[in-house]
Amino acid sequence: MAQTALNPKGVSPSADWKKWLGVTPFFLFAILFLILPSLRLFIGSFTTEEGQFSLANIIQLFEEKAILDAYWLSIRISAATALGGGLFGFLLAYSVTVGGLPKPLRSALITFSGVASNFAGVPLAFAFIATLGRTGFITTLIKNLFGVNLYQQTNFDLYSFAGLSLTYMYFQFPLMVLIMAPALDGLKREWREAAENLGASNFQYWMRVAFPVLLPSILGTMILLFGNAFGAYATAYALTGGRLGIITIQIGAQIRGDVHHNPGLGYAMAMGMVVVMTISLIGYSWLQKRSERWLR
């Protein structure tokens, strides 16, 4: 009676093949929507409109002040919203995990965070315009109740750096809550009990035990928030109409040809974004590995 051939690990080739079948859609998705577009960006960055090899697009990235300003503006907005969203999100996550707030409130906040962290683009921009625009609900309410015109008396402008940062915060802090809540739950009760037995106060426990353990998770999540804001496009474009020249809007202008039209330069600018995002992801992965040693 014929026997099925086995590989050195004692598993038949057919069983080995079936294990890979389940991840085939993932590899297809990665190839079609990650690897091939990245190759297109890389090749386009070194190609002229006539299809010839050139370094002009890469050189122009470092020589044109408008492009460098666009990168710097995007980095500033991303850093501001990462810090603000990280701090606010951490405090909220702390309140509903170890802070002693009622459990139903935790469920409500986690549900809201799951929805809000994915609420972006044109709907989010429209919601903020309807709320804090020049004739928005909150703007009109403050004017009627307190006689204060936000746009004339406080210099607030929804369509500025501060306004766009505030809009980004709407999906930044919920993402921080979603990631930090499990990390806070991972703090072992034995650590607090050991610190209390050694005479440590609550402040000393957080400064010398809990916070050092959580710091890699906090910093890693802030890096993730930075990348989340750095790659945003639709929200900024719908809110400001291109008034703020962040790098994603500049790339769109180069490729669409509304004002400028140099697809090769647009691809090079996108490659610069890929480099920034790659550095962010490497930092996030490294910090997550450090935090997992303690929070397993």
Side-chain angles (χ1 to χ4, degrees):
M1 187 173 183
Q3 293 184 349
T4 304
L6 300 177
N7 61 22
K9 292 183 179 181
V11 180
S12 66
S14 60
D16 219 19
W17 175 79
K18 290 178 181 178
K19 287 193 299 183
W20 286 96
L21 183 63
V23 296
T24 300
F26 165 76
F27 286 114
L28 289 175
F29 183 87
I31 292 171
L32 291 175
F33 297 100
L34 182 62
I35 297 176
L36 291 181
S38 298
L39 288 175
R40 180 70 182 96
L41 289 178
F42 182 78
I43 295 172
S45 300
F46 296 94
T47 307
T48 64
E49 294 186 27
E50 293 76 22
Q52 298 177 343
F53 175 81
S54 174
L55 293 174
N57 297 322
I58 303 297
I59 295 173
Q60 195 171 350
L61 285 181
F62 300 95
E63 291 184 344
E64 191 166 325
K65 186 176 183 300
I67 296 177
L68 295 176
D69 289 344
Y71 275 111
W72 178 233
L73 179 59
S74 293
I75 289 172
R76 285 163 50 209
I77 291 176
S78 302
T81 58
L83 290 173
L87 178 61
F88 186 43
F90 176 79
L91 292 176
L92 282 175
Y94 170 83
S95 299
V96 298
T97 52
V98 297
L101 288 180
K103 288 186 178 180
L105 188 59
R106 168 177 178 154
S107 300
L109 179 61
I110 296 298
T111 302
F112 166 79
S113 298
V115 175
S117 62
N118 292 287
F119 184 61
V122 177
L124 178 61
F126 174 77
F128 268 81
I129 292 172
T131 305
L132 285 171
R134 292 187 180 275
T135 58
F137 173 74
I138 298 297
T139 307
T140 305
L141 186 65
I142 292 176
K143 183 178 180 180
N144 293 336
L145 292 178
F146 305 104
V148 177
N149 190 315
L150 291 178
Y151 285 80
Q152 294 180 0
Q153 296 174 255
T154 66
N155 294 322
F156 173 79
D157 188 358
L158 181 63
Y159 317 105
S160 64
F161 177 95
L164 183 59
S165 298
L166 178 64
T167 306
Y168 278 9
M169 286 281 290
Y170 186 85
F171 58 77
Q172 291 284 68
F173 81 83
L175 184 58
M176 185 73 174
V177 171
L178 290 176
I179 297 177
M180 287 308 304
L184 286 163
D185 285 333
L187 292 174
K188 293 181 174 60
R189 183 178 298 177
E190 294 86 348
W191 297 344
R192 178 182 286 276
E193 293 174 351
E196 290 175 350
N197 289 336
L198 292 173
S201 65
N202 186 57
F203 178 79
Q204 290 174 323
Y205 163 74
W206 276 99
M207 287 295 100
R208 299 188 180 184
V209 179
F211 189 72
V213 170
L214 291 172
L215 186 59
S217 294
I218 295 172
L219 294 178
T221 307
M222 285 186 175
I223 291 176
L224 189 63
L225 296 182
F226 175 90
N228 192 36
F230 190 75
Y233 169 74
T235 302
Y237 187 79
L239 184 69
T240 67
R243 281 178 56 185
L244 282 178
I246 62 175
I247 190 63
T248 50
I249 291 179
Q250 295 293 333
I251 292 171
Q254 291 289 348
I255 295 177
R256 287 197 318 269
D258 293 348
V259 179
H260 310 284
H261 183 62
N262 186 348
L265 179 59
Y267 292 145
M269 293 162 68
M271 278 301 301
M273 285 193 64
V274 170
V275 171
V276 174
M277 296 291 283
T278 301
I279 294 173
S280 300
L281 290 174
I282 291 173
Y284 171 74
S285 300
W286 179 73
L287 288 167
Q288 281 297 102
K289 287 181 180 178
R290 288 181 62 87
S291 65
E292 286 173 0
R293 293 185 305 175
W294 295 100
L295 299 175
R296 278 187 270 193

